[in-house]
Amino acid sequence: YFAAPPHIRRKLMSSPLSKDLRAKYNVRSLPIRRDDEVIICRGHFHDREGKVTQVYRKKWPIHIERVTRDKANGQTVPIGIHPSKVVIVKIKIDKDRKALLERKNRATKKGKYTEKDTA
C-alpha cells in the first residue's frame, strides 16, 4: 500500500458514485480524477461541494476547490481530503472514462457463450 507505484495508487484512490450516478451507470466506484465534482461526506468540511483541483498520488489526498485554510502569514493552502470520504456527483467523461464505465457496467452480461449457444 505505502510503497505502491502511481498506476496502482490511482486505483486505490477511488471514490464512490452518488446514488443517481450509480443507478445510471451501474457502477459503484471510480478512480477519482481532476475535474470530477464531489461532495465531502466526512470530517470538518462535510457537505461541501466542489471540483477536484488535484489528485496528489504521492501523499494520497485530493484537493478540492474552496476547501482551504489560511496560514499565519496570510497564504491559503488547500486541505487534503481522502478520496474514500467524498462522493462523486458529476463525472468528467472522455473516451477512456467512457470505456471504463462500459467495462465496469454490472448490468451487461459478460462471457463467451449465450443461451442459444448452449442449447
Side-chain angles (χ1 to χ4, degrees):
Y1 181 83
F2 289 115
H7 68 285
I8 291 170
R9 282 185 188 221
R10 171 180 172 269
K11 211 162 193 180
L12 290 169
M13 291 178 76
S14 292
S15 298
L17 297 184
S18 66
K19 289 258 185 346
D20 49 336
L21 284 179
R22 202 183 301 176
K24 182 179 177 184
Y25 294 112
N26 294 304
V27 173
R28 195 172 178 81
S29 65
L30 275 182
I32 193 103
R33 202 204 136 147
R34 187 163 177 217
D35 288 321
D36 289 344
E37 287 180 30
V38 297
I39 290 181
I40 303 173
C41 297
R42 289 275 184 276
H44 187 266
F45 293 95
H46 73 92
D47 291 337
R48 289 273 193 95
E49 193 167 348
K51 196 179 270 190
V52 176
T53 55
Q54 185 185 24
V55 178
Y56 200 165
R57 287 194 197 156
K58 186 177 182 186
K59 293 192 176 176
W60 296 102
I62 60 172
H63 294 153
I64 300 164
E65 65 184 19
R66 296 189 304 277
V67 179
T68 56
R69 167 179 281 149
D70 292 332
K71 285 171 50 168
N73 63 7
Q75 191 180 6
T76 62
V77 290
I79 288 180
I81 307 288
H82 195 277
S84 69
K85 304 303 174 199
V86 301
V87 167
I88 301 173
V89 290
K90 189 158 179 266
I91 306 173
K92 172 155 199 273
I93 292 206
D94 55 12
K95 63 178 175 58
D96 296 322
R97 213 86 187 279
K98 192 169 246 164
L100 177 74
L101 285 166
E102 303 269 317
R103 266 199 327 271
K104 285 189 81 171
N105 187 341
R106 298 173 87 65
T108 56
K109 293 278 184 275
K110 298 174 179 73
K112 286 185 178 176
Y113 305 109
T114 59
E115 287 284 321
K116 59 178 178 277
D117 291 342
T118 56

